[in-house]
Amino acid sequence: MDFFALTALEREAVTLSLWVAGWAVAVSLPVGILTAWALARGHFPGKTLLEALVHLPLVLPPVVIGYLLLVLLGRNGLIGGPLYEHLGITLAFTWKGAVLAAAVMAFPLLVRAVRLSLENVDPGLEAAARTLGAGPLRVFFTVTLPLMAPGILTGTLLAFARSLGEFGATITFVSNIRGQTQTLPLALYTLTQVPDGETGAMRLCILSVLIAMVALIISETLSRKVAARMKA
């Protein structure tokens, strides 16, 4: 049973990972829904460029994303410099920066799931609601958003699972600081670099797989239940 007893370092890493992943999803969800709406329903110049930017984290090495975040949002960065000087806000080498890195890497998965769900919404239902006098916002919140629920649930849990597993962008942007930025993947990497760390690394590896599997199973189950309820 000692094998399953997490050390202080491992408990800190798991707790921080859950905290970072939760905040990453919370921060990116509203933006992800709006972006999915723009890509699915919008007609505007630069739409192709926006779509490319949204999906860029999927094709770029995570280390590149982390480096770009560091260049832009570090204390001497183009955006991070003014933020620190005028507002005292620091993102690099903090847990907030880890949240941002995880959110950026998970954002394409969130947007894609929500967009696919939105594209399956029958425009006729929205048109019927408008003929009954409902305004655009009311139509969105009472008709469109509930019909998008399966995609939102799927995207949320996929983004959460992706955020838990984020490594490259995180270690580049916020480093590997125990108790502050050392998430579960970073702690696993650390344990592989120290003598007698194999047992701890295996524990974290198994725990990562279990958390990811649970998130995916919950996502699939909730999506099916919501879809079945909407068809009833």
PDB file of all heavy atoms in Angstrom, residues 35 39 48-66 68 72 103-109 111 162:
ATOM      1  N   THR A  35     -15.735  32.633 -29.606  1.00  0.00           N
ATOM      2  CA  THR A  35     -14.909  32.345 -30.784  1.00  0.00           C
ATOM      3  C   THR A  35     -15.566  31.290 -31.666  1.00  0.00           C
ATOM      4  O   THR A  35     -15.574  31.413 -32.900  1.00  0.00           O
ATOM      5  CB  THR A  35     -13.514  31.867 -30.353  1.00  0.00           C
ATOM      6  OG1 THR A  35     -12.909  32.852 -29.502  1.00  0.00           O
ATOM      7  CG2 THR A  35     -12.622  31.631 -31.562  1.00  0.00           C
ATOM      8  N   LEU A  39     -16.721  31.730 -35.594  1.00  0.00           N
ATOM      9  CA  LEU A  39     -16.245  30.853 -36.667  1.00  0.00           C
ATOM     10  C   LEU A  39     -17.387  30.094 -37.333  1.00  0.00           C
ATOM     11  O   LEU A  39     -17.333  29.812 -38.542  1.00  0.00           O
ATOM     12  CB  LEU A  39     -15.221  29.868 -36.113  1.00  0.00           C
ATOM     13  CG  LEU A  39     -13.892  30.468 -35.638  1.00  0.00           C
ATOM     14  CD1 LEU A  39     -13.009  29.390 -35.034  1.00  0.00           C
ATOM     15  CD2 LEU A  39     -13.166  31.171 -36.775  1.00  0.00           C
ATOM     16  N   THR A  48     -10.583  33.481 -41.860  1.00  0.00           N
ATOM     17  CA  THR A  48      -9.628  32.396 -42.088  1.00  0.00           C
ATOM     18  C   THR A  48      -8.396  32.558 -41.206  1.00  0.00           C
ATOM     19  O   THR A  48      -7.873  31.582 -40.649  1.00  0.00           O
ATOM     20  CB  THR A  48      -9.205  32.353 -43.561  1.00  0.00           C
ATOM     21  OG1 THR A  48     -10.365  32.192 -44.376  1.00  0.00           O
ATOM     22  CG2 THR A  48      -8.239  31.199 -43.807  1.00  0.00           C
ATOM     23  N   LEU A  49      -7.939  33.807 -41.056  1.00  0.00           N
ATOM     24  CA  LEU A  49      -6.783  34.072 -40.197  1.00  0.00           C
ATOM     25  C   LEU A  49      -7.105  33.757 -38.748  1.00  0.00           C
ATOM     26  O   LEU A  49      -6.282  33.164 -38.036  1.00  0.00           O
ATOM     27  CB  LEU A  49      -6.361  35.539 -40.337  1.00  0.00           C
ATOM     28  CG  LEU A  49      -5.191  35.991 -39.462  1.00  0.00           C
ATOM     29  CD1 LEU A  49      -3.931  35.189 -39.788  1.00  0.00           C
ATOM     30  CD2 LEU A  49      -4.935  37.485 -39.654  1.00  0.00           C
ATOM     31  N   LEU A  50      -8.296  34.135 -38.287  1.00  0.00           N
ATOM     32  CA  LEU A  50      -8.706  33.832 -36.913  1.00  0.00           C
ATOM     33  C   LEU A  50      -8.740  32.329 -36.678  1.00  0.00           C
ATOM     34  O   LEU A  50      -8.266  31.841 -35.647  1.00  0.00           O
ATOM     35  CB  LEU A  50     -10.078  34.444 -36.629  1.00  0.00           C
ATOM     36  CG  LEU A  50     -10.701  34.104 -35.266  1.00  0.00           C
ATOM     37  CD1 LEU A  50      -9.819  34.599 -34.130  1.00  0.00           C
ATOM     38  CD2 LEU A  50     -12.111  34.676 -35.151  1.00  0.00           C
ATOM     39  N   GLU A  51      -9.288  31.600 -37.630  1.00  0.00           N
ATOM     40  CA  GLU A  51      -9.356  30.146 -37.503  1.00  0.00           C
ATOM     41  C   GLU A  51      -7.953  29.544 -37.427  1.00  0.00           C
ATOM     42  O   GLU A  51      -7.705  28.615 -36.647  1.00  0.00           O
ATOM     43  CB  GLU A  51     -10.129  29.552 -38.674  1.00  0.00           C
ATOM     44  CG  GLU A  51     -10.387  28.064 -38.540  1.00  0.00           C
ATOM     45  CD  GLU A  51     -11.437  27.579 -39.525  1.00  0.00           C
ATOM     46  OE1 GLU A  51     -11.868  28.372 -40.375  1.00  0.00           O
ATOM     47  OE2 GLU A  51     -11.817  26.405 -39.422  1.00  0.00           O
ATOM     48  N   ALA A  52      -7.040  30.060 -38.234  1.00  0.00           N
ATOM     49  CA  ALA A  52      -5.663  29.570 -38.209  1.00  0.00           C
ATOM     50  C   ALA A  52      -5.006  29.862 -36.866  1.00  0.00           C
ATOM     51  O   ALA A  52      -4.313  29.004 -36.300  1.00  0.00           O
ATOM     52  CB  ALA A  52      -4.865  30.210 -39.340  1.00  0.00           C
ATOM     53  N   LEU A  53      -5.231  31.051 -36.327  1.00  0.00           N
ATOM     54  CA  LEU A  53      -4.645  31.412 -35.037  1.00  0.00           C
ATOM     55  C   LEU A  53      -5.196  30.543 -33.912  1.00  0.00           C
ATOM     56  O   LEU A  53      -4.460  30.136 -33.010  1.00  0.00           O
ATOM     57  CB  LEU A  53      -4.915  32.893 -34.737  1.00  0.00           C
ATOM     58  CG  LEU A  53      -4.143  33.906 -35.586  1.00  0.00           C
ATOM     59  CD1 LEU A  53      -4.622  35.315 -35.292  1.00  0.00           C
ATOM     60  CD2 LEU A  53      -2.637  33.791 -35.320  1.00  0.00           C
ATOM     61  N   VAL A  54      -6.488  30.265 -33.963  1.00  0.00           N
ATOM     62  CA  VAL A  54      -7.113  29.439 -32.926  1.00  0.00           C
ATOM     63  C   VAL A  54      -6.493  28.043 -32.896  1.00  0.00           C
ATOM     64  O   VAL A  54      -6.235  27.483 -31.821  1.00  0.00           O
ATOM     65  CB  VAL A  54      -8.638  29.347 -33.154  1.00  0.00           C
ATOM     66  CG1 VAL A  54      -9.250  28.242 -32.288  1.00  0.00           C
ATOM     67  CG2 VAL A  54      -9.298  30.685 -32.837  1.00  0.00           C
ATOM     68  N   HIS A  55      -6.230  27.492 -34.072  1.00  0.00           N
ATOM     69  CA  HIS A  55      -5.721  26.125 -34.151  1.00  0.00           C
ATOM     70  C   HIS A  55      -4.197  26.039 -34.160  1.00  0.00           C
ATOM     71  O   HIS A  55      -3.635  24.940 -34.201  1.00  0.00           O
ATOM     72  CB  HIS A  55      -6.280  25.428 -35.393  1.00  0.00           C
ATOM     73  CG  HIS A  55      -7.754  25.172 -35.330  1.00  0.00           C
ATOM     74  ND1 HIS A  55      -8.690  26.064 -35.803  1.00  0.00           N
ATOM     75  CD2 HIS A  55      -8.459  24.134 -34.799  1.00  0.00           C
ATOM     76  CE1 HIS A  55      -9.891  25.582 -35.594  1.00  0.00           C
ATOM     77  NE2 HIS A  55      -9.791  24.418 -34.990  1.00  0.00           N
ATOM     78  N   LEU A  56      -3.530  27.168 -34.104  1.00  0.00           N
ATOM     79  CA  LEU A  56      -2.069  27.183 -34.149  1.00  0.00           C
ATOM     80  C   LEU A  56      -1.427  26.358 -33.027  1.00  0.00           C
ATOM     81  O   LEU A  56      -0.442  25.644 -33.277  1.00  0.00           O
ATOM     82  CB  LEU A  56      -1.572  28.631 -34.105  1.00  0.00           C
ATOM     83  CG  LEU A  56      -0.143  28.881 -34.602  1.00  0.00           C
ATOM     84  CD1 LEU A  56       0.020  28.433 -36.045  1.00  0.00           C
ATOM     85  CD2 LEU A  56       0.193  30.373 -34.479  1.00  0.00           C
ATOM     86  N   PRO A  57      -1.928  26.411 -31.788  1.00  0.00           N
ATOM     87  CA  PRO A  57      -1.308  25.600 -30.725  1.00  0.00           C
ATOM     88  C   PRO A  57      -1.333  24.096 -30.987  1.00  0.00           C
ATOM     89  O   PRO A  57      -0.556  23.354 -30.377  1.00  0.00           O
ATOM     90  CB  PRO A  57      -2.138  25.956 -29.483  1.00  0.00           C
ATOM     91  CG  PRO A  57      -2.663  27.327 -29.763  1.00  0.00           C
ATOM     92  CD  PRO A  57      -2.934  27.327 -31.229  1.00  0.00           C
ATOM     93  N   LEU A  58      -2.212  23.651 -31.876  1.00  0.00           N
ATOM     94  CA  LEU A  58      -2.274  22.217 -32.178  1.00  0.00           C
ATOM     95  C   LEU A  58      -1.111  21.759 -33.048  1.00  0.00           C
ATOM     96  O   LEU A  58      -0.741  20.582 -33.026  1.00  0.00           O
ATOM     97  CB  LEU A  58      -3.592  21.880 -32.885  1.00  0.00           C
ATOM     98  CG  LEU A  58      -4.871  21.955 -32.057  1.00  0.00           C
ATOM     99  CD1 LEU A  58      -6.064  21.620 -32.925  1.00  0.00           C
ATOM    100  CD2 LEU A  58      -4.808  21.001 -30.860  1.00  0.00           C
ATOM    101  N   VAL A  59      -0.555  22.673 -33.843  1.00  0.00           N
ATOM    102  CA  VAL A  59       0.479  22.280 -34.792  1.00  0.00           C
ATOM    103  C   VAL A  59       1.867  22.793 -34.412  1.00  0.00           C
ATOM    104  O   VAL A  59       2.864  22.268 -34.911  1.00  0.00           O
ATOM    105  CB  VAL A  59       0.115  22.756 -36.219  1.00  0.00           C
ATOM    106  CG1 VAL A  59      -1.135  22.056 -36.706  1.00  0.00           C
ATOM    107  CG2 VAL A  59      -0.085  24.262 -36.269  1.00  0.00           C
ATOM    108  N   LEU A  60       1.941  23.804 -33.549  1.00  0.00           N
ATOM    109  CA  LEU A  60       3.235  24.299 -33.103  1.00  0.00           C
ATOM    110  C   LEU A  60       3.730  23.489 -31.908  1.00  0.00           C
ATOM    111  O   LEU A  60       2.935  23.028 -31.092  1.00  0.00           O
ATOM    112  CB  LEU A  60       3.131  25.770 -32.688  1.00  0.00           C
ATOM    113  CG  LEU A  60       3.132  26.826 -33.791  1.00  0.00           C
ATOM    114  CD1 LEU A  60       2.985  28.208 -33.177  1.00  0.00           C
ATOM    115  CD2 LEU A  60       4.401  26.750 -34.622  1.00  0.00           C
ATOM    116  N   PRO A  61       5.044  23.309 -31.774  1.00  0.00           N
ATOM    117  CA  PRO A  61       5.568  22.674 -30.558  1.00  0.00           C
ATOM    118  C   PRO A  61       5.176  23.499 -29.332  1.00  0.00           C
ATOM    119  O   PRO A  61       5.249  24.741 -29.371  1.00  0.00           O
ATOM    120  CB  PRO A  61       7.086  22.699 -30.783  1.00  0.00           C
ATOM    121  CG  PRO A  61       7.260  22.824 -32.259  1.00  0.00           C
ATOM    122  CD  PRO A  61       6.109  23.631 -32.746  1.00  0.00           C
ATOM    123  N   PRO A  62       4.735  22.865 -28.255  1.00  0.00           N
ATOM    124  CA  PRO A  62       4.344  23.610 -27.054  1.00  0.00           C
ATOM    125  C   PRO A  62       5.434  24.551 -26.535  1.00  0.00           C
ATOM    126  O   PRO A  62       5.130  25.614 -25.989  1.00  0.00           O
ATOM    127  CB  PRO A  62       4.039  22.497 -26.039  1.00  0.00           C
ATOM    128  CG  PRO A  62       3.631  21.341 -26.879  1.00  0.00           C
ATOM    129  CD  PRO A  62       4.473  21.425 -28.111  1.00  0.00           C
ATOM    130  N   VAL A  63       6.704  24.159 -26.715  1.00  0.00           N
ATOM    131  CA  VAL A  63       7.804  25.020 -26.261  1.00  0.00           C
ATOM    132  C   VAL A  63       7.785  26.344 -27.008  1.00  0.00           C
ATOM    133  O   VAL A  63       8.097  27.397 -26.442  1.00  0.00           O
ATOM    134  CB  VAL A  63       9.155  24.302 -26.451  1.00  0.00           C
ATOM    135  CG1 VAL A  63      10.304  25.247 -26.131  1.00  0.00           C
ATOM    136  CG2 VAL A  63       9.236  23.070 -25.558  1.00  0.00           C
ATOM    137  N   VAL A  64       7.405  26.319 -28.276  1.00  0.00           N
ATOM    138  CA  VAL A  64       7.320  27.556 -29.058  1.00  0.00           C
ATOM    139  C   VAL A  64       6.236  28.461 -28.486  1.00  0.00           C
ATOM    140  O   VAL A  64       6.427  29.675 -28.340  1.00  0.00           O
ATOM    141  CB  VAL A  64       7.032  27.235 -30.544  1.00  0.00           C
ATOM    142  CG1 VAL A  64       6.772  28.520 -31.333  1.00  0.00           C
ATOM    143  CG2 VAL A  64       8.193  26.470 -31.143  1.00  0.00           C
ATOM    144  N   ILE A  65       5.087  27.885 -28.145  1.00  0.00           N
ATOM    145  CA  ILE A  65       4.004  28.665 -27.528  1.00  0.00           C
ATOM    146  C   ILE A  65       4.477  29.270 -26.211  1.00  0.00           C
ATOM    147  O   ILE A  65       4.234  30.450 -25.926  1.00  0.00           O
ATOM    148  CB  ILE A  65       2.771  27.780 -27.287  1.00  0.00           C
ATOM    149  CG1 ILE A  65       2.238  27.227 -28.612  1.00  0.00           C
ATOM    150  CG2 ILE A  65       1.680  28.560 -26.559  1.00  0.00           C
ATOM    151  CD1 ILE A  65       1.720  28.276 -29.565  1.00  0.00           C
ATOM    152  N   GLY A  66       5.178  28.471 -25.401  1.00  0.00           N
ATOM    153  CA  GLY A  66       5.688  28.975 -24.136  1.00  0.00           C
ATOM    154  C   GLY A  66       6.675  30.106 -24.322  1.00  0.00           C
ATOM    155  O   GLY A  66       6.656  31.096 -23.577  1.00  0.00           O
ATOM    156  N   LEU A  68       6.834  32.177 -26.915  1.00  0.00           N
ATOM    157  CA  LEU A  68       6.092  33.350 -27.367  1.00  0.00           C
ATOM    158  C   LEU A  68       5.381  34.039 -26.208  1.00  0.00           C
ATOM    159  O   LEU A  68       5.342  35.278 -26.132  1.00  0.00           O
ATOM    160  CB  LEU A  68       5.081  32.947 -28.448  1.00  0.00           C
ATOM    161  CG  LEU A  68       5.665  32.507 -29.792  1.00  0.00           C
ATOM    162  CD1 LEU A  68       4.560  32.009 -30.716  1.00  0.00           C
ATOM    163  CD2 LEU A  68       6.432  33.653 -30.445  1.00  0.00           C
ATOM    164  N   LEU A  72       6.087  37.857 -24.972  1.00  0.00           N
ATOM    165  CA  LEU A  72       4.999  38.834 -24.920  1.00  0.00           C
ATOM    166  C   LEU A  72       4.634  39.249 -23.503  1.00  0.00           C
ATOM    167  O   LEU A  72       4.349  40.426 -23.236  1.00  0.00           O
ATOM    168  CB  LEU A  72       3.753  38.264 -25.609  1.00  0.00           C
ATOM    169  CG  LEU A  72       3.833  38.064 -27.123  1.00  0.00           C
ATOM    170  CD1 LEU A  72       2.597  37.345 -27.627  1.00  0.00           C
ATOM    171  CD2 LEU A  72       3.981  39.410 -27.830  1.00  0.00           C
ATOM    172  N   ALA A 103      -4.412  27.221 -20.691  1.00  0.00           N
ATOM    173  CA  ALA A 103      -5.602  27.685 -21.416  1.00  0.00           C
ATOM    174  C   ALA A 103      -5.315  27.838 -22.905  1.00  0.00           C
ATOM    175  O   ALA A 103      -6.137  27.448 -23.750  1.00  0.00           O
ATOM    176  CB  ALA A 103      -6.078  29.007 -20.827  1.00  0.00           C
ATOM    177  N   VAL A 104      -4.162  28.379 -23.240  1.00  0.00           N
ATOM    178  CA  VAL A 104      -3.803  28.571 -24.648  1.00  0.00           C
ATOM    179  C   VAL A 104      -3.689  27.229 -25.362  1.00  0.00           C
ATOM    180  O   VAL A 104      -4.183  27.058 -26.487  1.00  0.00           O
ATOM    181  CB  VAL A 104      -2.479  29.358 -24.763  1.00  0.00           C
ATOM    182  CG1 VAL A 104      -1.960  29.336 -26.197  1.00  0.00           C
ATOM    183  CG2 VAL A 104      -2.675  30.798 -24.303  1.00  0.00           C
ATOM    184  N   MET A 105      -3.060  26.253 -24.722  1.00  0.00           N
ATOM    185  CA  MET A 105      -2.863  24.952 -25.357  1.00  0.00           C
ATOM    186  C   MET A 105      -4.164  24.159 -25.478  1.00  0.00           C
ATOM    187  O   MET A 105      -4.336  23.372 -26.410  1.00  0.00           O
ATOM    188  CB  MET A 105      -1.825  24.144 -24.577  1.00  0.00           C
ATOM    189  CG  MET A 105      -0.431  24.741 -24.578  1.00  0.00           C
ATOM    190  SD  MET A 105       0.247  25.035 -26.232  1.00  0.00           S
ATOM    191  CE  MET A 105       0.234  23.375 -26.902  1.00  0.00           C
ATOM    192  N   ALA A 106      -5.086  24.370 -24.537  1.00  0.00           N
ATOM    193  CA  ALA A 106      -6.347  23.626 -24.563  1.00  0.00           C
ATOM    194  C   ALA A 106      -7.423  24.329 -25.381  1.00  0.00           C
ATOM    195  O   ALA A 106      -8.437  23.713 -25.737  1.00  0.00           O
ATOM    196  CB  ALA A 106      -6.846  23.418 -23.130  1.00  0.00           C
ATOM    197  N   PHE A 107      -7.225  25.595 -25.692  1.00  0.00           N
ATOM    198  CA  PHE A 107      -8.247  26.404 -26.348  1.00  0.00           C
ATOM    199  C   PHE A 107      -8.742  25.812 -27.675  1.00  0.00           C
ATOM    200  O   PHE A 107      -9.959  25.791 -27.924  1.00  0.00           O
ATOM    201  CB  PHE A 107      -7.702  27.822 -26.564  1.00  0.00           C
ATOM    202  CG  PHE A 107      -8.741  28.820 -26.963  1.00  0.00           C
ATOM    203  CD1 PHE A 107      -9.710  29.231 -26.059  1.00  0.00           C
ATOM    204  CD2 PHE A 107      -8.749  29.367 -28.239  1.00  0.00           C
ATOM    205  CE1 PHE A 107     -10.668  30.159 -26.414  1.00  0.00           C
ATOM    206  CE2 PHE A 107      -9.708  30.293 -28.613  1.00  0.00           C
ATOM    207  CZ  PHE A 107     -10.670  30.695 -27.694  1.00  0.00           C
ATOM    208  N   PRO A 108      -7.875  25.321 -28.553  1.00  0.00           N
ATOM    209  CA  PRO A 108      -8.378  24.764 -29.825  1.00  0.00           C
ATOM    210  C   PRO A 108      -9.340  23.599 -29.629  1.00  0.00           C
ATOM    211  O   PRO A 108     -10.325  23.482 -30.375  1.00  0.00           O
ATOM    212  CB  PRO A 108      -7.099  24.304 -30.536  1.00  0.00           C
ATOM    213  CG  PRO A 108      -6.004  25.111 -29.927  1.00  0.00           C
ATOM    214  CD  PRO A 108      -6.395  25.317 -28.509  1.00  0.00           C
ATOM    215  N   LEU A 109      -9.080  22.737 -28.659  1.00  0.00           N
ATOM    216  CA  LEU A 109      -9.972  21.605 -28.411  1.00  0.00           C
ATOM    217  C   LEU A 109     -11.340  22.089 -27.946  1.00  0.00           C
ATOM    218  O   LEU A 109     -12.378  21.553 -28.350  1.00  0.00           O
ATOM    219  CB  LEU A 109      -9.360  20.674 -27.358  1.00  0.00           C
ATOM    220  CG  LEU A 109      -8.039  20.003 -27.735  1.00  0.00           C
ATOM    221  CD1 LEU A 109      -7.524  19.169 -26.563  1.00  0.00           C
ATOM    222  CD2 LEU A 109      -8.214  19.129 -28.969  1.00  0.00           C
ATOM    223  N   VAL A 111     -12.742  25.101 -28.514  1.00  0.00           N
ATOM    224  CA  VAL A 111     -13.427  25.789 -29.608  1.00  0.00           C
ATOM    225  C   VAL A 111     -13.964  24.791 -30.625  1.00  0.00           C
ATOM    226  O   VAL A 111     -15.099  24.923 -31.110  1.00  0.00           O
ATOM    227  CB  VAL A 111     -12.479  26.799 -30.292  1.00  0.00           C
ATOM    228  CG1 VAL A 111     -13.114  27.360 -31.563  1.00  0.00           C
ATOM    229  CG2 VAL A 111     -12.143  27.930 -29.336  1.00  0.00           C
ATOM    230  N   ARG A 162      -6.678  18.252 -21.130  1.00  0.00           N
ATOM    231  CA  ARG A 162      -5.491  18.762 -21.833  1.00  0.00           C
ATOM    232  C   ARG A 162      -4.680  19.686 -20.932  1.00  0.00           C
ATOM    233  O   ARG A 162      -3.438  19.665 -20.968  1.00  0.00           O
ATOM    234  CB  ARG A 162      -5.936  19.504 -23.107  1.00  0.00           C
ATOM    235  CG  ARG A 162      -4.778  20.117 -23.909  1.00  0.00           C
ATOM    236  CD  ARG A 162      -3.870  19.027 -24.434  1.00  0.00           C
ATOM    237  NE  ARG A 162      -2.715  19.574 -25.125  1.00  0.00           N
ATOM    238  CZ  ARG A 162      -1.584  19.946 -24.525  1.00  0.00           C
ATOM    239  NH1 ARG A 162      -1.466  19.831 -23.209  1.00  0.00           N
ATOM    240  NH2 ARG A 162      -0.569  20.404 -25.231  1.00  0.00           N
TER     241      ARG A 162
END
